[in-house]
Amino acid sequence: MKNKLIIFAVLILSLFMIPGNLVKADDKLFDVAITGITSRKVIGSASNREDPSFTDDTATFKTNLTLPGDSMTYEITVRNRGSIEAILNKISSTETENPAIIFSYSGISEGDTLSPGAETKFEVTVTYNSETTTQPANLVSDLTMILNYEQNGEAPIVTPPGGMVDLGGDVKVPATSAYASITVILLGLLCIIVSIIVTKRMTESKEEN
């Protein structure tokens, strides 16, 4: 009976250690990502050829423009889901080479910092140049913005081997931490099984004597 109590105590202690392991692994986590895009303002007959899409560091817009002065404005949300302050090192883009289409953005600049847990919003506007005098053959805008965030102040932290495990609610932890927690639980269960078997054999041995 005494052995059983010891094993159960070890298991309970291991379960309490799991959140601590997750927090410790997340202590120096770098994780900045675009989390959403919405169409905010439409002028004239501008429309989305496709819904805007995004990855962690890119935002893509495909817009139909019909007449000079048409424009579509998008709002992009970026969130620091890690625990390290990030800095926007560079903003770049790939866009349709069409002099009749103008791209502009506001609310974000290279050198901006983003604190852990914070988010920022900025706008991108796609416009049919009102000074255009000749109707272009193609008025489909295709723009992808690329945001290069880095750790602010120190050398970039490398993502742990195995990647990240999504716990929901924008909470991610290194996969190695999650695997370690699962291993602790399995070892605890194994200890209980071994304890039960040993205790049963000791009881049977005493009964035989």
Side-chain angles (χ1 to χ4, degrees):
M1 184 65 180
K2 184 177 179 181
N3 289 338
K4 282 187 178 181
L5 291 175
I6 293 174
I7 298 300
F8 276 116
V10 171
L11 176 60
I12 292 173
L13 180 60
S14 299
L15 293 175
F16 276 111
M17 289 170 61
I18 293 173
N21 288 336
L22 295 179
V23 172
K24 184 176 181 181
D26 194 49
D27 249 352
K28 293 186 177 181
L29 176 63
F30 180 81
D31 185 12
V32 179
I34 296 172
T35 58
I37 302 177
T38 57
S39 301
R40 295 282 293 175
K41 186 178 181 182
V42 179
I43 294 178
S45 55
S47 62
N48 286 319
R49 181 164 63 92
E50 295 180 12
D51 290 336
S53 60
F54 59 92
T55 65
D56 282 354
D57 58 359
T58 66
T60 300
F61 320 92
K62 296 183 178 182
T63 314
N64 289 321
L65 303 170
T66 305
L67 299 172
D70 285 356
S71 71
M72 176 81 79
T73 298
Y74 303 90
E75 182 181 73
I76 299 91
T77 302
V78 182
R79 184 173 181 81
N80 186 343
R81 303 181 298 193
S83 55
I84 298 172
E85 184 176 71
I87 184 169
L88 182 54
N89 181 52
K90 186 177 181 181
I91 301 173
S92 56
S93 65
T94 59
E95 58 192 62
T96 304
E97 295 182 2
N98 190 332
I101 299 175
I102 301 173
F103 301 106
S104 62
Y105 61 87
S106 61
I108 194 170
S109 302
E110 293 180 356
D112 286 352
T113 58
L114 195 58
S115 300
E119 68 177 25
T120 186
K121 297 178 184 292
F122 68 98
E123 292 186 342
V124 173
T125 301
V126 183
T127 305
Y128 186 155
N129 190 350
S130 59
E131 297 180 359
T132 299
T133 57
T134 302
Q135 179 85 355
N138 179 17
L139 281 172
V140 174
S141 163
D142 195 339
L143 168 69
T144 296
M145 286 193 67
I146 305 165
L147 305 181
N148 181 19
Y149 276 93
E150 295 183 353
Q151 180 182 342
N152 190 23
E154 300 177 6
I157 285 183
V158 178
T159 301
M164 307 298 295
V165 173
D166 192 348
L167 300 182
D170 285 340
V171 177
K172 291 185 177 181
V173 298
T176 49
S177 174
Y179 298 151
S181 299
I182 294 172
T183 301
V184 169
I185 294 175
L186 293 177
L187 287 175
L189 293 174
L190 179 61
C191 288
I192 290 178
I193 294 172
V194 171
S195 174
I196 292 173
I197 294 174
V198 171
T199 302
K200 183 177 180 181
R201 289 184 178 179
M202 290 178 63
T203 302
E204 291 175 350
S205 177
K206 287 182 180 180
E207 289 177 354
E208 291 177 356
N209 294 334

